Amino acid sequence: MKKEKRFEVILEEGSSLSDDGVKRIIVDKVTGVCYLTWKSGYAGGITPLLDSEGKPVIEGTVQ
């Protein structure tokens, strides 16, 4: 039985060949929280997307 993936990429921009790297927005299918990930060379990072009130952006609530 194949295990379902918890995270889904919903947007991808950039290239691993450019200095800006690859930026992705991923969503946690369990919680609905959206995250921004960035990778360039050996560096990278991840952070939750926050709305204007500082609360996590939940998939389906983006306007």
Side-chain angles (χ1 to χ4, degrees), residues 1-8 29-30:
M1 178 180 276
K2 185 177 178 183
K3 186 175 180 181
E4 190 172 328
K5 293 183 179 182
R6 180 169 177 170
F7 296 94
E8 178 182 1
K29 291 195 259 181
V30 174

Side-chain angles (χ1 to χ4, degrees), residues 36-58:
L36 172 67
T37 67
W38 169 80
K39 181 177 184 284
S40 180
Y42 294 109
I46 184 169
T47 187
L49 292 179
L50 304 176
D51 65 14
S52 61
E53 296 176 358
K55 296 179 182 175
V57 173
I58 308 296

Side-chain angles (χ1 to χ4, degrees), residues 12-47:
E12 185 170 329
E13 292 181 348
S15 166
S16 59
L17 300 176
S18 72
D19 289 338
D20 290 339
V22 177
K23 294 163 284 296
R24 292 184 180 110
I25 295 181
I26 61 172
V27 64
D28 182 339
K29 291 195 259 181
V30 174
T31 64
V33 175
C34 295
Y35 297 88
L36 172 67
T37 67
W38 169 80
K39 181 177 184 284
S40 180
Y42 294 109
I46 184 169
T47 187

